[in-house]
Amino acid sequence: MATIDNRSIERTAYRSRWDDGLFDVFVGLSLLWIGAAWLWFDAMAGIAGVFPAIFVGPFVAWRTRFVEGRIGYVRFSEERRQWERRNLAVFVLVGTLTFIAGILFFVARDGGSGVADVIDELAPGLIAFIVAAMVGVVAIASMVRRLFAYTLVLVVGGILAAAYDANPGAPLLAAGAIAALVGTWLVWRFVGHHPRPADEDEPLPT
């Protein structure tokens, strides 16, 4: 008699939560906005990241309705939920430490020492490195391979921006375009595979 591997089923279900592509679109559009602000709207560059942060809550709520309306709701085990909470705590910690490191980075940049010279060389890629660290944490937590690819694009973009003293927005714009395009394709595929069920007062298609 065959046995059912509940852990394997749960892992598969958990990974499928990322198949709708909406997270990719949100991250892609956020990076496009931040990159564009750095490239073309200097006055907005310092606060560009605030606007995507404001929309995180509404986005999560809307995405939940969008996905559950098509594939239903999955209640994961307590062990999985605890694992998610730990990952969320790590994500917040990494984000906070990275933000603090960024501030210290720019403070040290004005220090006039040899270290400041090195920091000054890396400055154009700093924003890309910060975002890469945060996307990398999500990639490790979710084990979604394409998120590792976005992380790599950001790291490589940050290195190139530092090497060629490019605008910090350039690698964000490139990674954002890739994420948005991939996410759009995933959303299109998801909707094709999971059309929204008819409302109770609507006749089902025949």
Side-chain angles (χ1 to χ4, degrees), residues 5-25:
D5 187 350
N6 289 327
R7 289 181 177 272
S8 177
I9 294 173
E10 186 177 55
R11 282 195 298 269
T12 300
Y14 184 78
R15 284 196 297 269
S16 70
R17 294 176 63 188
W18 302 85
D19 289 346
D20 56 89
L22 290 174
F23 177 79
D24 304 66
V25 172

Side-chain angles (χ1 to χ4, degrees), residues 14 21 25 31 43-45 67 73 93 101-102 120-121 130 142 158 160 162 189:
Y14 184 78
V25 172
L31 292 180
M44 299 289 294
V67 173
Y73 172 76
L93 178 63
D120 193 59
E121 292 293 326
I130 290 175
S142 63
L160 291 175
R189 188 184 67 170

Side-chain angles (χ1 to χ4, degrees), residues 100-120:
I100 293 172
I103 294 175
L104 295 176
F105 187 99
F106 282 108
V107 170
R109 186 184 179 188
D110 298 327
S113 64
V115 174
D117 293 336
V118 175
I119 290 176
D120 193 59

Side-chain angles (χ1 to χ4, degrees), residues 14 82-92 137 140-142:
Y14 184 78
Q82 289 179 357
W83 182 79
E84 275 193 322
R85 287 192 288 268
R86 286 195 298 270
N87 284 335
L88 178 61
V90 170
F91 178 76
V92 172
V137 171
I140 293 171
S142 63

